[in-house]
Amino acid sequence: MPQTPEPDEDHDLDLDASAPPQPVFHVEQALLGALLLDPHRLHDVNGIIADSFSTAAHTAVFAAISTLPPPHPAEHAKNAAWLDLVLATARQQARGLTASDLHALVQVCPWPRHTPAYARMVEAEHARRSLAAAAEHLVHTVHDASLPHPVESVLTEADALATVVEDIAARFPPRAGVLPRTPAPPPPAAPDYTQAIEEERLLLATATVYPAGIETVPWLLPGDFVVPLHAGLWQCLTALARRQEPVDPVTVLWEAQQRGLLDDGSDPGEVLRTLAEPAASVEHWGERALQRSLLTTAKHTAQRITAYAGDPANTPFQLVVGARRALADIGAVRTRWQHATTPAPPPRPAPTTRAGPPTTTAAPTAHAARATR
């Protein structure tokens, strides 16, 4: 086989690389070595493609093996003609490959008959990388301030992430009750925290002045607020409205005291000032708060899935279970968002009364009267 390397090319097949490779690197080497030793074992490889490999060199070698016709076993045992062809084909994508790289792959393969097991491991690691990439893309979408319709774009990416999860589930059916062992990261802060505080204050003040507007936002929950005190004040407002009691800054402040919201040292005067500057409508500010909650939930979901995918101890089964549970949080907020933004159907017109048959009651009565004379 030709052995002249290209100058200044990286050798990601080099066994003496300075950075210790991950276990999947050795698995990929074993799989490729098995296929180079016995090309007919490619029929035992299912569920992976060239992009399933973690390095460009491994990708190129597998692409060459899978596209070239396998050699005759007897000829392959006597000469390296097919290996020369594999090298020439693979070097079209990874020019730094050398004949010694292929020989190294052959030498590190412990048992060629374990090819299906190696392929399954490569498939599992590729599933992990695919899941992490989809989660990362969702985070980027949440942070993209240039999007004209951020909620719709984020939900589209969430659906794409869910598709990746279901694809993994189809190849690695989850086992009941097997959860990832990785602790979930803490919920992230709202990206526009200062603006969120101001908008929540406006929402609370507007709801205090116009408590009838509280009924228009049944989809808004305390968990949608970024400030715990604001979430508690919203609960005070909804409780007073539900009990049909007077609503004004003083009654809300008293309700807050009864609920222990001021026990942390919150200034009652500051609470009154928070409730004293209404603007726009309750529904407007409520929708803003819900949108922020949806975006924050999507980011936290993606971060949870990224944490799961980043833990190599989690199996594909665990990744599916954990990712599905994380995505359920987006689904819950999505339902409320659809409720908030879907126009109410027009009122149904009152049914018209059809004209009945002509009455015949009077005529028989008159006839009966004449009969009695």
Side-chain angles (χ1 to χ4, degrees), residues 106-133:
V106 171
Q107 291 171 357
V108 299
C109 177
W111 297 102
R113 66 174 179 270
H114 292 168
T115 297
Y118 301 151
R120 188 65 165 168
M121 297 173 192
V122 171
E123 182 183 8
E125 196 64 23
H126 180 245
R128 183 191 313 282
R129 293 195 304 271
S130 299
L131 187 62

Side-chain angles (χ1 to χ4, degrees), residues 3-371:
Q3 301 188 23
T4 304
E6 291 289 335
D8 300 326
E9 292 284 348
D10 293 332
H11 281 206
D12 53 9
L13 285 171
D14 189 357
L15 298 179
D16 297 325
S18 58
Q22 297 297 315
V24 68
F25 180 86
H26 301 287
V27 174
E28 292 174 1
Q29 285 189 318
L31 174 59
L32 295 174
L35 296 177
L36 292 172
L37 282 168
D38 189 352
H40 288 82
R41 292 189 182 276
L42 184 63
H43 297 298
D44 299 330
V45 176
N46 298 310
I48 62 173
I49 56 176
D51 290 341
S52 301
F53 291 80
S54 62
T55 71
H58 290 180
T59 297
V61 172
F62 183 81
I65 294 173
S66 58
T67 55
L68 293 172
H72 189 279
E75 291 296 323
H76 187 55
K78 292 189 299 184
N79 60 67
W82 185 77
L83 295 179
D84 291 341
L85 188 57
V86 168
L87 179 61
T89 303
R91 289 186 65 181
Q92 296 177 14
Q93 300 182 40
R95 294 191 302 162
L97 283 171
T98 66
S100 61
D101 291 327
L102 298 194
H103 284 304
L105 292 175
V106 171
Q107 291 171 357
V108 299
C109 177
W111 297 102
R113 66 174 179 270
H114 292 168
T115 297
Y118 301 151
R120 188 65 165 168
M121 297 173 192
V122 171
E123 182 183 8
E125 196 64 23
H126 180 245
R128 183 191 313 282
R129 293 195 304 271
S130 299
L131 187 62
E136 182 181 1
H137 203 279
L138 177 56
V139 172
H140 288 328
T141 305
V142 170
H143 286 290
D144 189 350
S146 66
L147 296 173
H149 305 289
V151 171
E152 289 77 2
S153 299
V154 165
L155 291 178
T156 297
E157 290 303 323
D159 290 339
L161 176 56
T163 299
V164 173
V165 173
E166 295 311 311
D167 178 64
I168 297 173
R171 291 181 288 132
F172 298 89
R175 299 165 183 168
V178 183
L179 293 171
R181 69 178 183 87
T182 313
D192 52 348
Y193 188 76
T194 302
Q195 180 181 352
I197 293 175
E198 181 60 27
E199 290 184 358
E200 289 180 2
R201 289 169 64 99
L202 291 171
L203 168 60
L204 295 170
T206 305
T208 301
V209 176
Y210 306 107
I214 297 174
E215 297 180 358
T216 67
V217 292
W219 32 262
L220 186 64
L221 300 179
D224 297 324
F225 290 78
V226 301
V227 180
L229 176 61
H230 293 175
L233 292 175
W234 180 251
Q235 290 178 305
C236 294
L237 281 162
T238 55
L240 290 172
R242 185 175 61 252
R243 300 197 303 258
Q244 297 183 345
E245 297 182 8
V247 177
D248 62 37
V250 174
T251 61
V252 175
L253 177 63
W254 188 256
E255 182 75 14
Q257 175 178 280
Q258 300 302 301
R259 291 172 173 262
L261 297 180
L262 309 180
D263 293 349
D264 61 355
S266 297
D267 181 4
E270 181 61 27
V271 172
L272 290 175
R273 287 188 291 273
T274 297
L275 304 175
E277 298 179 1
S281 67
V282 174
E283 190 171 11
H284 169 77
W285 297 119
E287 187 173 314
R288 291 282 299 171
L290 183 58
Q291 173 177 319
R292 185 177 297 104
S293 178
L294 188 149
L295 297 179
T296 303
T297 300
K299 180 179 178 180
H300 189 217
T301 294
Q303 290 176 335
R304 287 171 61 187
I305 294 176
T306 298
Y308 298 154
D311 187 346
N314 288 325
T315 66
F317 314 107
Q318 292 173 303
L319 294 179
V320 169
V321 174
R324 280 176 171 173
R325 292 202 174 191
L327 287 167
D329 292 344
I330 297 181
V333 185
R334 182 204 293 255
T335 299
R336 293 192 288 122
W337 174 258
Q338 292 172 339
H339 186 194
T341 57
T342 301
R348 299 178 61 182
T352 56
T353 304
R354 295 183 178 180
T359 178
T360 56
T361 305
T365 304
H367 178 74
R370 287 197 299 270

